[in-house]
Amino acid sequence: MTEVRVTHVGGPTTLIEAAGWRLLTDPTFDPPGRRYAFGWGTSSRKTAGPALGSDQLGPVDAVLLTHDHHADNLDTAGRALLPSAGIVLTTVSGAGRLGGNARGLAPWATWRLESPGRPAIEVTATPARHGPPLSKPLVGDVTGFALRWAGQRHGVLWISGDTVLYAGVREVARRLAVGTALLHLGGVGFPITGPVRYTLTASRAVELCRILRPHTVLPVHYEGWSHFREGRRTVEARLAKAPDGLRDRFRWPAPGTATEVTV
């Protein structure tokens, strides 16, 4: 049985301590208050700061960056941290923009993290779509990540990335046994695009989890920005109506505090 420590820093940013490795997802460390443009008339204001500063993290072996072009997933302070990480795994287009220690993974490509004295971790890029069909020119490329290492009991640790529920995400359920799901929620929306949502809503998250059947679900990236349309209360209300004890699989990490998860 393997224990993993997941510390929710804020937004999509988590520190995953697994198998002797320290992995950081989507670094965001800017203070609150600033409004960031996302392109095509969309923008969002950061309303909450990180629970930990980047100077409190300690060494980072790898950054798992779902996408580099939205500030709620990589902000100014987070970008400054990237050169100090051992490697940055992200989308192919993102690696081209970032250069340096960034490496791009196409969907279902795998990168193997290896180091003497530690078990290897296989990082597999998984499909993600940050909005409705035909939205890619607006939202750009996004990826999720599946982490696999020796000793996992329940299945891979999967990071959804900013995505809606679509065929590519359903493929994750068909191809992988997911033990722990780090889900980006929030039902992102913008005034200019009306009812269109760009990340998982509560109802879609429940539908996805009924397909995945993960042992543990860790929700992240559902608050702290003005573009979120659904917070924790909405998700919990939907879970209260879900069958099969799904609600009991959800654990809400307290920002800044490590959550122990059996994988």
Side-chain angles (χ1 to χ4, degrees), residues 37-38 67-71 74 79 91 93 97 130 138-142:
F38 291 158
H67 56 303
D68 69 300
H69 52 282
H70 292 157
L74 181 67
R79 194 175 292 267
T91 63
S93 59
R97 287 186 291 267
H130 201 349
L138 169 64
V139 299
D141 291 326
V142 183

Side-chain angles (χ1 to χ4, degrees), residues 44-119:
S44 183
R45 184 171 60 87
K46 189 172 186 177
T47 60
L52 299 171
S54 58
D55 58 343
Q56 298 174 279
L57 285 180
V60 172
D61 295 306
V63 169
L64 307 178
L65 180 59
T66 65
H67 56 303
D68 69 300
H69 52 282
H70 292 157
D72 61 324
N73 296 85
L74 181 67
D75 59 18
T76 303
R79 194 175 292 267
L81 175 147
L82 297 183
S84 66
I87 191 170
V88 178
L89 299 178
T90 188
T91 63
V92 173
S93 59
R97 287 186 291 267
L98 293 171
N101 59 343
R103 300 294 180 268
L105 296 178
W108 299 113
T110 293
W111 186 279
R112 190 174 173 89
L113 296 174
E114 295 181 301
S115 178
R118 290 183 285 185

